[in-house]
């Protein structure tokens, strides 16, 4: 075998603390190395060209690039060696940046370590064999989980692109948080006017199947061929019959049900349609409040329903769907304002969350768009807004900035002035984060045109006194403690990962951060991909973000799916397990071990049981290879021999040295 | 107000000493002001507590140790409880007060005199003798007793014990004074 | 009844003097509830605020002497009625646990080293957690019905939560629960943990006038008949200095300030010698009379509705 070694400078990233020319020189003495050199930027166009040329000039059989992490550029170099006429698996990468040059400052030690890493890669390469990827058919349907604005956008873009879409929504209507908002920053246009038509498009689109009041039960399979089980939760109303007339809701005698859509500021009925523009517009019974369920008698809705849609016996049901890709758009939830005892949220009725305030502002909200104090219905004149509640606060384990609350607070001060011209808004802030287009101008408008008083500092305590709420804070610019006798206090609560986000992530086998937000594959270059092929992200489930950014990601994820589905077949990764028929005794241990169900027992021609790997299902994790008592399963490109060769490369010299001394 | 020299005025040894003695990281403070917002004593402070935190970040020992605030902090723990960055601000205040005491910068003499009278009593009897503490404080501060109106109330109701309770281990207690504080002149 | 509760007991210096009423009523209430208090023999002062403002090792050593004495008694828990003592004892124990070097340093100054094995609690915590509100409610003979009480905990009973580790630091409820069990009407008093001015009464009276004045004003605005407290210093500032506050702020508060143990004793039907209500500066009489009237009126109405 003739091996070529290319040692990358990565500008000064590597060359700053590693003698790259020295490493290349050393590599010339490694087994079967026919050519070695250093390159300034091996991933650049001239860098890649140099590799291609060297392969051709020196008739190389395999290539080692010593550079950065393979996560980013392994595919780049594989393509380069392929262009040079080699099999793309006759290539190895040694990570001498993250694993070496960025770790220590001692140049001699780094250079030695880099040489060792290159030797290791060379030893592995000597056992590499050309591998051929197999092709498989894909199912060009996509599942979108979560029907907020991000999910809606993704679903519509995919559907318009000709794909069949299955849209799954946990609650009984799509729309997410945006459906609850009154107006939206930075243009102050009506939220339902811009979201409503999109929601209708979803319901009318021939390519979209919508399951509302449904959750993802399980996911099997892999990119191109997922099989998902959808749980349709019992609504106790037959939606094929329900016309959304609302008669049941009008007549239902149980009037104290919790209204999640209105954030609990007013009660709803045990049977309800969350809001008039709901999609689908269908009724659901909440059994925790329904008298039929609690007391065993009532049945009013069943009597009044003109289409006999009520079914108290209904059970959860399951449907199976086959899709080739999944977009998760499960959004966020709000920080629990009761965690700040000093603000008294939950104890003092006139301390409310920003989302509750949106419902008070909203013309289709429970107060018909009149701002009223929950305690006595009085119109507030002095409204205090407190920012960063449950954001940027390590003491409640929420150190991150939620990103949109500065902006929506500014919006809410503007709307407050619009609704109540003789009102005064006060905003306690630590910093104003308004980096979007026309965003800073928007917050300035709140102050300059609408007269909102911005006070730089936190609030330490809110407490009721006589008819008001005393808000005690600080104005750090004045260096003074300040107090406001307020009528209403609005807490700009931050965003948290949506409830159940981590469970869903486990089902989809995608990763999430310490706070439950989903991890993108690369923070800059692969923002809507996950590390699981075929699973994409959109909207606030990846991290708190506003509507423009959520919609942008919805479209981006759709574009990724459309690109994926632009081919009829996908190539499977050939770095999978392979069974040696001669060694396998058919014990089946591997079948039990494989977490992906990628191994099955078959019979050879003589009728003996033998393990068999389904290549497209195998994820190359290697668990089976260590389980097999016969060493009959080998992970291709990571065989036992290759691993041992690597270990030897590192240890042999060290062992010899230690015996000498 | 003087111009603060942020470069040359930074007293690294001071900052390190505060960090060591308090076990707190003042640089975790992002100046939200919550400590000041909640501090019941802000109205008598010359420097609000968040500014003390900021001066500490800037390493300005002088301005901090000269402040009256250090002697007016009651260790009510409001700041510590509500700091979003989990800084034990009250402990930092305590440590700064220790330093000011050690350097003889006592800006609220009466507070210090009251504390000293209290501790003298503990040193002598093993338990504090409240009546004796008061008498000593009045003598020390040379101030007419501003609580003279309380005298009759307290006496008539037998609210204050007229005689000290000496404990058996009072010498042991006095030894703690000597062995931690040296000859007790603090 | 549950197995007998028994604790090492640390009364604190003020219990011998200015807060004798707290001390006597605490002991009487515990006796009535079958709780055994074993006073730590020859206990010494914890140093209170003055000690920790001088030096932390010094303050911890003064406290640790008492913890060590409690250990020698073979006790596993020491309880104290006074929040200031509680804080000092707890801070000392907490820091010695967190920092072994600190413990060594403290022990260098003690005759008998402190192993740091005893748990420190307030009497209030022992009552609510170890005995439980039901057992307390069971002792009630004369319910305090009709008495509107503002429960005031003081600033350091529950703070900082990392050290005190008891109840909600912003909205503690232990005393509320007990008082409710006594039949009183417990008002939602929002400044439960706001500082009263602490020991500045002597050196900086102006401070106490402002801070305690605010507390009285809030209780008054809620229509309270009385304030209940668990802290000798708070009680002194709010009660003994109430006339000074009235003069300084030009107000006319007449709010009796009880120790919650006095109210428990009242409801248990204990005698004056166990309650020492006569030690209160603002007399309890009018508030109690009002309560009596309310109770009688209620009883009458009750009888009437039964007749109908
Ligand atoms: C008070 C307030 C005011 C705001 N005002 C503005 C504004 O004026 N302008 C602006 O740009 N932004 C504003 N925002 C931000 C805006 O709400 C978000 O940017 C936007 O809602 C994010 O959309 P999304 O689709 O990612 O998430 P969401 O709106 O949260 O939607 C997620 C959807 O997924 C569903 N879901 C969750 N989990 C599952 C599951 N496991 N299975 C199935 N379905 C699931 C949810 O029920 C929901 O319908 C505001 C936010 C708040 C709190
Ligand atoms: S059966 Fe339940 S949902 Fe229907 S009307 Fe009665 S209470 Fe309402
Ligand atoms: S967006 Fe503004 S209010 Fe929201 S967490 Fe960030 S800084 Fe705080
Ligand atoms: S509360 Fe904490 S973070 Fe905020 S200013 Fe005070 S010390 Fe700094
Ligand atoms: S501990 Fe001191 S600085 Fe902190 S809030 Fe209380 S009095 Fe103010």
């Amino acid at each position: 075998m003739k091996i070529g070694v290319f040692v990358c400078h990565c500008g000064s990233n590597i060359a700053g603390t590693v003698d790259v020319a020295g490493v290349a020189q050393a590599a010339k003495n490694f087994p079967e190395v026919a050519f070695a050199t250093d390159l300034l930027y091996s991933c650049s166009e001239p860098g890649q060209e140099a590799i291609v040329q060297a392969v051709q000039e020196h008739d190389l059989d395999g290539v080692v690039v010593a550079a950065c992490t393979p996560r980013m550029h392994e595919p780049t170099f594989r393509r380069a060696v392929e262009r040079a006429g080699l099999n793309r698996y006759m290539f190895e990468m040694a990570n001498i940046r993250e694993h070496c040059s960025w770790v220590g400052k001692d140049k001699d030690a780094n250079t030695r370590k880099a040489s060792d890493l290159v030797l290791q890669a060379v030893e592995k390469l000597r056992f590499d064999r050309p591998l051929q990827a197999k092709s498989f058919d894909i199912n060009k349907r996509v599942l979108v989980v979560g029907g907020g604005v991000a999910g809606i956008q993704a679903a519509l873009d995919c559907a318009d692109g000709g794909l069949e879409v299955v849209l799954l929504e946990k609650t009984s209507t799509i729309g997410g948080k945006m459906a609850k908002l009154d107006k939206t920053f930075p243009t102050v246009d009506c939220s339902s006017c811009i979201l409503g038509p999109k929601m209708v498009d979803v319901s009318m689109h021939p390519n979209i199947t919508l399951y509302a009041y449904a959750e993802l039960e399980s996911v099997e399979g892999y990119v191109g061929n997922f099989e998902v089980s959808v749980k349709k939760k019992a609504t106790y109303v037959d939606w094929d019959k329900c016309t959304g007339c609302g008669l049941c809701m009008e007549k239902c005698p149980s009037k104290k049900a919790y209204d999640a859509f209105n954030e609990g500021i007013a009660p709803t009925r045990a049977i309800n349609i969350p809001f008039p523009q709901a999609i689908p517009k269908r009724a659901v019974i909440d059994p925790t409040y329904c008298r039929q369920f609690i007391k065993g008698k009532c049945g009013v809705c069943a009597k009044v329903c003109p289409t006999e849609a009520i079914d108290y016996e209904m059970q959860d049901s399951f449907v199976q769907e086959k899709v080739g890709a999944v977009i998760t758009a499960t959004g966020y939830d709000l920080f629990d304002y009761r965690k700040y005892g000093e603000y008294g949220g939950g104890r003092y009725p006139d301390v409310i969350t920003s989302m509750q305030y949106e419902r008070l502002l909203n013309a289709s909200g429970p107060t018909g768009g009149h701002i009223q104090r929950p305690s006595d219905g009085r119109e507030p004149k002095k409204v205090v807004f407190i920012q960063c509640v449950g954001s940027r606060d390590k003491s409640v384990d929420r150190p991150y900035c939620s990103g949109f609350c500065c902006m929506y607070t500014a919006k809410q001060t503007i709307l407050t002035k619009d609704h109540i011209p003789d009102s005064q808004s006060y905003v306690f802030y630590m910093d104003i984060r308004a980096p979007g287009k026309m965003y800073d101008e928007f917050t300035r408008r709140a102050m300059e045109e609408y007269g909102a008083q911005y006070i730089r500092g936190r609030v330490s305590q809110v407490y009721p006194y006589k008819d008001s709420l005393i808000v005690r804070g600080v104005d750090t610019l004045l260096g003074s403690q300040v107090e406001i006798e307020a009528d209403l206090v609005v807490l700009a609560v931050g965003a948290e990962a949506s409830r159940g986000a981590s469970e869903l992530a486990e089902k989809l086998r995608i990763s999430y951060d310490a706070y439950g937000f989903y991890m993108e594959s690369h923070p800059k270059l692969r923002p809507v991909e996950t590390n699981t092929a075929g699973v994409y992200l959109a909207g606030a489930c990846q991290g708190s973000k506003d509507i423009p950014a959520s919609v942008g990601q919805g479209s981006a994820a759709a574009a990724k799916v459309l690109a994926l589905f632009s081919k009829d077949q996908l190539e499977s990764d050939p770095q999978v397990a392979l069974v040696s028929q001669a060694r396998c005794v058919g014990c089946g241990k591997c079948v039990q071990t494989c977490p992906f169900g990628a191994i099955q027992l078959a019979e050879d021609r003589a009728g003996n049981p033998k393990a068999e790997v389904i290549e497209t299902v195998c994820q190359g994790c290697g668990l089976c290879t260590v389980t097999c008592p016969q060493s009959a399963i080998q992970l291709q490109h990571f065989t036992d021999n290759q691993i041992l060769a690597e270990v030897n490369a590192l240890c042999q010299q060290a062992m010899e040295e230690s015996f000498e001394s | 107000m003087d111009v603060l020299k942020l470069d040359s005025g930074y007293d690294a040894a001071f900052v390190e000493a505060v960090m060591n003695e308090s076990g707190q990281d003042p640089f975790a403070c992002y100046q939200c002001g919550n400590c000041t917002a909640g501090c019941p004593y802000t109205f008598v402070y010359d420097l609000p507590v968040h500014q003390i935190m900021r001066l500490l970040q800037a390493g300005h020992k002088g301005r901090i140790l000269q402040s009256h605030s250090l002697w007016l902090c009651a260790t009510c723990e409001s700041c510590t409880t509500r700091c979003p960055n989990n800084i034990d601000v009250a402990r930092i205040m305590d440590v700064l007060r220790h330093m000011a005491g050690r350097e003889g910068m006592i800006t609220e003499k009466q507070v210090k005199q009251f504390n000293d009278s209290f501790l003298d009593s503990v040193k002598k009897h093993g338990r504090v003798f409240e009546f004796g503490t008061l008498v000593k404080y009045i003598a020390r501060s040379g101030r007419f007793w501003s609580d003279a109106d309380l005298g009759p109330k307290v006496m008539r109701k037998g609210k204050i014990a007229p005689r000290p309770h000496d404990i058996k281990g009072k010498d042991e207690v006095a030894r703690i004074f000597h062995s931690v504080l040296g000859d007790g002149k603090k | 009844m549950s197995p007998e509760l028994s604790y090492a007991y640390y009364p604190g210096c003020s219990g011998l003097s200015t807060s004798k009423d707290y001390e006597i009523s605490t002991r009487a209430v515990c006796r009535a509830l079958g709780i055994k208090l074993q006073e730590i023999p020859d206990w010494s002062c914890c140093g209170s605020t003055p000690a920790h403002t001088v030096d932390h090792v010094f303050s911890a050593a003064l406290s640790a002497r008492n913890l060590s004495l409690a250990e020698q008694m073979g006790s596993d828990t020491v309880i104290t009625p006074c929040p200031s003592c509680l804080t000092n004892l707890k801070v000392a124990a907490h820091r010695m646990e967190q920092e072994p070097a600190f413990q060594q340093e403290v022990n260098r100054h003690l005759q008998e080293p402190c192993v740091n094995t005893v748990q420190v609690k307030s009497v209030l915590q022992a009552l609510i957690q170890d005995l439980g509100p039901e057992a307390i409610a069971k002792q009630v003979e004369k319910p305090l019905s009709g008495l509107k009480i503002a429960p005031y905990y003081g600033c350091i009973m529950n703070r900082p939560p990392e050290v005190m580790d008891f109840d909600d630091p912003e909205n503690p409820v232990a005393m509320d629960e007990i008082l409710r069990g006594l039949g009183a009407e417990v008002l939602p008093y929002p400044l439960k943990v706001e500082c009263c001015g602490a020991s500045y009464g002597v050196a900086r009276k102006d401070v106490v006038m402002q801070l305690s004045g605010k507390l009285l004003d809030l209780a008054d605005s809620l229509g309270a008949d009385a304030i209940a407290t668990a802290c000798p210093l708070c009680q002194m500032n709010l009660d003994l200095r109430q006339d000074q506050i009235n003069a300084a702020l030009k107000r006319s508060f007449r709010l009796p300030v009880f120790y919650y143990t006095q109210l428990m004793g009242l409801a248990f039907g204990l005698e004056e010698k166990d309650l020492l209500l006569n030690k209160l500066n603002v007399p309890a009489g009018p508030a109690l009379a009002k309560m009596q009237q309310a109770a009688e009126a209620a009883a009458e109405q009750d009888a009437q509705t039964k007749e109908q």
Side-chain angles (χ1 to χ4, degrees), chain A residues 387-388 391-392 401-406 431 433:
Chain A
Q387 292 197 167
C388 297
S391 299
R392 307 176 64 198
C401 168
S402 294
F404 52 47
C405 7
C406 281
D431 300 284
R433 307 222 155 143

Side-chain angles (χ1 to χ4, degrees), chain A residues 295-374:
Chain A
K295 298 191 180 144
K297 56 176 185 225
C298 175
V300 169
C301 49
K303 276 179 221 127
V304 300
C305 176
T307 62
E308 298 184 346
I310 310 295
D311 173 7
Y312 302 117
E313 307 298 319
M314 189 185 267
Q315 302 289 322
D316 294 349
S317 61
F318 295 88
V319 275
Q320 314 302 319
E321 290 282 357
K322 292 187 172 175
V323 296
V326 181
I327 297 174
T328 48
T330 48
Y332 66 102
D333 269 311
L334 292 170
F335 181 82
D336 180 0
Y337 72 151
R338 286 169 306 189
K339 285 188 189 153
Y340 284 82
E342 59 269 46
Y343 295 165
R347 264 189 295 142
Y348 311 144
D350 296 333
V351 177
I352 62 173
T353 68
S354 48
M355 195 53 106
Q356 290 177 323
Y357 198 54
E358 291 281 345
R359 297 311 298 153
L360 288 182
L361 291 166
N362 200 307
S364 60
T367 55
H370 297 292
I371 309 177
Q372 294 172 355
R373 306 210 307 175

Side-chain angles (χ1 to χ4, degrees), chain B residues 133-148:
Chain B
T133 302
L134 266 179
V135 172
K136 190 150 191 178
Y137 166 73
I138 295 163
R140 222 180 235 177
S141 63
R143 281 178 31 156
F144 175 68
W145 189 23
S146 66
D147 280 337

Side-chain angles (χ1 to χ4, degrees), chain A residues 11 99 107 110 115 165 215 226 264 275 285 321 357 376 386 397 463 466 469 480 489 505 515 522 542 609 656:
Chain A
H99 288 179
K107 197 160 184 173
N110 280 355
S115 302
V165 180
E215 273 168 40
F226 292 108
F275 62 109
I285 293 180
E321 290 282 357
Y357 198 54
D376 55 8
I386 306 176
D397 196 29
Y463 67 93
K466 298 189 177 150
L469 291 160
S480 178
V489 173
Y515 308 101
H522 189 284
Q542 178 264 347
E656 278 163 15

Side-chain angles (χ1 to χ4, degrees), chain C residues 5-259:
Chain C
L5 293 171
S6 164
Y7 302 96
Y9 182 64
Y10 182 81
C13 301
S14 64
L16 303 176
S17 176
T18 42
S19 65
K20 207 173 183 175
D21 32 3
Y22 193 19
E23 170 68 8
I24 298 288
S25 57
T26 298
R27 285 183 187 265
V29 160
C30 287
R31 214 179 308 120
L33 290 167
I35 299 173
K36 208 163 140 206
L37 301 179
Q38 295 170 279
E39 181 166 336
I40 298 174
D42 208 43
W43 56 271
S44 49
C45 177
C46 70
S48 193
T49 310
H52 76 72
T53 61
V54 170
D55 187 281
H56 287 157
V57 172
F58 171 56
S59 167
L62 289 176
S63 290
R65 177 181 181 268
N66 296 296
L67 295 175
S68 160
L69 288 173
E71 279 163 15
Q72 290 162 43
M73 292 166 70
S75 178
D76 57 2
T77 309
V78 56
I79 65 174
T80 178
C82 170
S84 179
C85 305
L86 178 75
T87 300
N88 271 352
L89 296 175
K90 272 192 105 96
V91 166
H94 184 78
R95 253 192 98 177
M96 287 194 289
E97 192 192 311
Q98 302 278 307
E99 302 167 40
F102 183 79
Q103 180 171 14
Q104 267 178 14
E105 173 63 14
V106 168
N107 276 335
R108 235 168 35 83
H109 305 286
L110 295 185
Q111 199 158 309
E112 286 294 330
C114 171
V115 195
N116 202 14
T117 52
V118 292
Q119 210 197 340
V120 185
K121 284 183 190 177
S122 63
V123 174
L124 181 63
Q125 183 176 8
L127 286 176
I128 202 83
Q129 285 182 346
D130 300 351
L131 189 68
E134 299 81 23
I136 297 170
K138 251 192 235 153
Q139 286 291 322
V140 173
E141 283 182 8
K142 300 181 183 164
L144 307 181
S145 348
L147 191 64
K148 288 194 213 146
I149 303 181
Y152 173 60
Y153 293 70
C155 58
I156 48 174
M157 180 83 117
N158 315 87
R159 304 191 306 187
E162 293 72 31
V163 178
M164 304 314 279
D165 195 23
F166 168 56
D167 216 342
D168 184 325
E170 294 293 350
N171 181 33
V173 292
M175 197 157 65
D176 296 36
E177 254 182 85
I178 291 182
L179 295 171
R180 224 172 278 126
L182 303 181
E185 183 184 337
V186 181
L187 299 170
Y189 185 69
L191 294 183
K192 282 175 175 176
V193 296
E194 187 82 0
C195 186
C196 66
S199 58
Y200 288 114
V202 178
R204 285 292 301 257
K205 203 164 95 183
D206 55 321
V207 172
V208 176
M209 299 297 102
Q210 287 300 324
L211 297 182
S212 283
K214 186 166 165 178
L215 297 173
L216 289 170
D217 175 47
L218 183 69
D220 189 55
S221 78
L222 288 170
D225 299 322
I227 294 176
T229 172
C231 171
L233 207 50
C234 304
Q235 202 276 344
M236 181 149 77
N237 283 338
L238 293 171
D239 176 50
L240 195 59
R241 296 188 182 278
Q242 204 170 106
D243 301 328
Q244 294 180 339
I245 293 168
N246 282 334
L249 306 183
K250 303 203 170 51
R251 300 293 299 263
S252 52
F253 302 119
R254 287 308 274 169
L255 278 166
V257 184
F258 295 99
Y259 290 108

Side-chain angles (χ1 to χ4, degrees), chain A residues 152 156 174 195-205 277 279:
Chain A
I152 289 174
L156 287 174
I174 58 170
L195 181 67
K198 278 190 188 288
M199 290 168 61
V200 175
D201 286 352
V202 167
S203 71
M204 309 291 271
H205 208 296
Q277 299 83 14
I279 299 282

Side-chain angles (χ1 to χ4, degrees), chain B residues 13 24 70 82 95 133 148-149:
Chain B
Q24 304 301 307
L70 297 184
R82 293 182 189 151
V95 161
T133 302
D149 57 322

